[in-house]
Amino acid sequence: MTVDKGRFAPSPSGRMHLGNVMCALLAWLSVKSKGGTLVLRIEDLDTARCKKEYARQLMDDLRWLGLTWEEGPGKNEPDAPYFQSERTEIYENTLDRLREKAMIYPCFCSRADLHAANAPHLSDGTVLYQNTCRGLTASEQAEKNKKRPGALRIAVPDEDICFTDGHLGAVCQNLKRECGDFILRRSDGVFAYQMAVVADDACMGITEVVRGQDLLSSTPRQIYLQRLLGVKTPSYYHIPLLVNEQGVRLSKREKSLDMQELRKRYAPSELLGELAALCGLQQKPYAKTPQELAAVFDWGKIVREPIVVPKRIQNE
Ligand code: GLU
């Protein structure tokens, strides 16, 4: 029997905020309620935005909350390193394996080029890539490469990728029309999130992924890569985003909801109790430990619509 293995994979680009804590809590509860284990992976590929100090702080915040991990920095490290910035060799190997299965080609389009193409916009606000560089000859590629290095894109087929989200039900996306050829490595050499996350989830034996609904549209791309690589697709659970009373998504800019402020106003069990009430796990914000919440956890209780965070919690 395989052991359930979940993961929490934050990007250390600032102090954790309420939305990150909700995600960490539900990832923890989902796998712990099944008797499984949790991996902590630090997704710090974007070295311009991520800092070691933020990573240190988020681990401190998770410990303060009691949301412990069995594998990851400072714990058992069977699949070390757990910082994506140190896993480049693994991504290089994954890229080589993908090259054998699909067409991967350099793309020299600038941001301005992509927008100038007057292409349809996708659900996440990005532009549908028009395959501008797909047909370049080797000599054209070499010529363009002299001016600026290319990003690497993978060609996608005209195919619907469907999966059953454990929380939302059936989800389908046509890769050609709703996604387009996507980037595996940026022009500055940094591996893209879609590539790294697939390599890491497979390498670390992750069986379930709990994350925000903002990443729902990424999942078909990740499943496409998993199929090419011949690795298992984990179960996915996409959780609702947190919004203010006007329905606007709460962001890291909301300082009153970052852990520095929250830790001043709440004890760990009080904060977890608030989150448990917000997501539908309990009627009222009774203070609870993670273990107490795991005992009553059930995906059927968790809401599917955006979660409105009352002003009381925002301390306004
Ligand atoms: N690192 C991503 C984030 O912090 C999460 C990626 C994932 O869970 O797949 O938004």
Side-chain angles (χ1 to χ4, degrees), residues 25-84:
L25 174 64
L26 291 177
W28 195 96
L29 291 175
S30 175
V31 78
K32 291 303 172 117
S33 63
K34 297 176 189 146
T37 58
L38 193 81
V39 175
L40 175 66
R41 181 171 74 230
I42 307 294
E43 302 212 324
D44 59 347
L45 282 175
D46 190 347
T47 45
R49 288 174 57 233
C50 295
K51 291 203 180 99
K52 275 264 156 23
E53 174 57 16
Y54 292 139
R56 195 199 55 73
Q57 224 158 27
L58 83 83
M59 289 191 265
D60 185 63
D61 288 336
L62 288 173
R63 286 192 202 99
W64 180 84
L65 288 158
L67 300 176
T68 48
W69 57 99
E70 282 70 35
E71 284 178 30
K75 281 289 177 87
N76 299 320
E77 302 200 359
D79 300 308
Y82 288 89
F83 285 76
Q84 286 191 325

Side-chain angles (χ1 to χ4, degrees), residues 11-31:
S11 297
S13 58
R15 190 79 185 247
M16 277 223 290
H17 64 103
L18 199 68
N20 304 126
V21 182
M22 181 69 95
C23 188
L25 174 64
L26 291 177
W28 195 96
L29 291 175
S30 175
V31 78

Side-chain angles (χ1 to χ4, degrees), residues 7 9-11 43 193 197 211 215:
R7 51 44 158 209
S11 297
E43 302 212 324
Y193 158 70
V197 83
R211 60 186 178 196
L215 290 169

Side-chain angles (χ1 to χ4, degrees), residues 238-269:
H238 289 89
I239 63 170
L241 300 177
L242 303 188
V243 297
N244 65 18
E245 287 173 350
Q246 286 72 48
V248 178
R249 185 179 171 191
L250 293 171
S251 76
K252 281 195 173 161
R253 285 189 295 277
E254 239 85 30
K255 283 292 168 216
S256 68
L257 292 178
D258 80 15
M259 281 299 276
Q260 183 172 340
E261 293 306 311
L262 292 168
R263 282 176 68 160
K264 287 183 197 155
R265 292 193 278 126
Y266 290 96
S269 60

Side-chain angles (χ1 to χ4, degrees), residues 172-235:
C172 279
Q173 187 187 75
N174 180 280
L175 286 182
K176 185 169 174 234
R177 280 184 277 113
E178 298 172 82
C179 169
D181 293 357
F182 61 94
I183 291 184
L184 297 183
R185 202 180 65 195
R186 300 186 337 200
S187 59
D188 61 4
V190 175
F191 281 98
Y193 158 70
Q194 310 293 354
M195 210 340 285
V197 83
V198 166
D200 289 345
D201 284 341
C203 174
M204 295 175 180
I206 301 302
T207 63
E208 63 169 62
V209 170
V210 177
R211 60 186 178 196
Q213 276 182 28
D214 53 331
L215 290 169
L216 183 64
S217 67
S218 288
T219 306
R221 262 172 279 183
Q222 295 175 15
I223 294 176
Y224 173 58
L225 296 182
Q226 287 157 0
R227 289 180 186 170
L228 291 175
L229 291 166
V231 298
K232 281 204 182 119
T233 292
S235 307

